[in-house]
């Protein structure tokens, strides 16, 4: 079955990109620290709590959105991620990359897990902005083991489109 062509995002330059971070209250500080460590300019970063509505005066210019949700027993996480993405839609550019991080309710994000999570989010951003679907960034054995470790610890990272 052939893949349908889709409009790809241009490569995201984290030093100059507008970024929106949203998620549950306990994960926002971790997400913010990881974004700064990855090279995101703190002045270009907007942090929005999952339950807050974005300010209607904000311009829709963010190229990247990272949504972090802690999984609990109150419904499917994917639906919560979709709702969060729809809620911050007014802040995003039309072809913005949306990366979702879900964390198990019992998982504590230790510093080593945070670093692995940061590299996986960067990989997802690179894969979303690859020039073709067949030329995605290569995962070496170390990054594959890191992804397996994330999954084993209850952390999932994926991209969504609206």
């Amino acid at each position: 079955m052939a893949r349908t062509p889709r409009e790809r995002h241009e490569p995201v330059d984290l030093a100059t990109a507008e970024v929106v971070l949203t998620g549950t209250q306990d994960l926002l500080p971790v997400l913010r620290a990881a974004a700064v460590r990855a090279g995101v300019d703190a002045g270009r970063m907007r942090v929005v709590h999952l339950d807050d509505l974005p300010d209607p005066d904000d311009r829709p210019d963010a190229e990247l959105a990272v949504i972090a949700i802690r999984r609990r027993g109150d419904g499917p996480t994917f639906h919560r991620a979709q709702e969060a993405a729809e809620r911050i839609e007014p802040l995003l550019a039309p072809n913005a990359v949306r990366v979702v991080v879900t964390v198990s309710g019992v998982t504590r994000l230790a510093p080593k897990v945070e670093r692995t999570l940061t590299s996986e989010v960067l990989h997802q951003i690179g894969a979303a902005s690859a020039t073709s679907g067949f030329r995605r960034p290569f995962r070496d054995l170390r990054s594959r083991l890191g992804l397996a470790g994330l999954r084993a610890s209850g952390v999932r990272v994926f991209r969504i489109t609206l």
Side-chain angles (χ1 to χ4, degrees), residues 5-134:
R6 65 174 191 177
E7 195 168 327
R8 295 239 173 226
H9 191 280
E10 299 169 3
V12 178
D13 180 18
L14 293 177
T16 61
E18 295 285 331
V19 178
V20 174
L21 304 176
T22 187
T24 54
Q25 191 67 33
D26 60 331
L27 294 176
L28 281 176
V30 173
L31 197 61
R32 184 174 170 77
V36 170
R37 188 173 40 248
V40 175
D41 181 16
R44 297 179 180 270
M45 189 179 342
R46 285 182 251 174
V47 179
V48 179
H49 187 270
L50 190 62
D51 298 325
D52 295 340
L53 291 174
D55 188 13
D57 297 332
D58 286 338
R59 294 175 296 147
D61 57 355
E63 302 170 37
L64 173 65
V66 180
I67 303 165
I69 297 176
R70 185 163 299 272
R71 290 193 307 264
R72 306 219 191 273
D74 60 347
T77 307
F78 182 76
H79 293 300
R80 290 179 63 202
Q82 190 72 20
E83 289 171 0
E86 289 172 357
R87 183 169 287 170
I88 62 170
E89 184 68 25
L91 301 175
L92 304 178
N95 282 338
V97 177
R98 295 165 188 89
V99 177
V100 177
V101 176
T102 63
V103 180
S104 172
V106 296
T107 301
R108 185 179 150 269
L109 292 178
K112 186 163 187 155
V113 174
E114 287 180 27
R115 287 190 299 273
T116 307
L117 178 61
T118 302
S119 66
E120 179 58 24
V121 169
L122 292 174
H123 176 80
Q124 292 294 332
I125 294 168
S129 58
T131 55
S132 93
F134 299 109

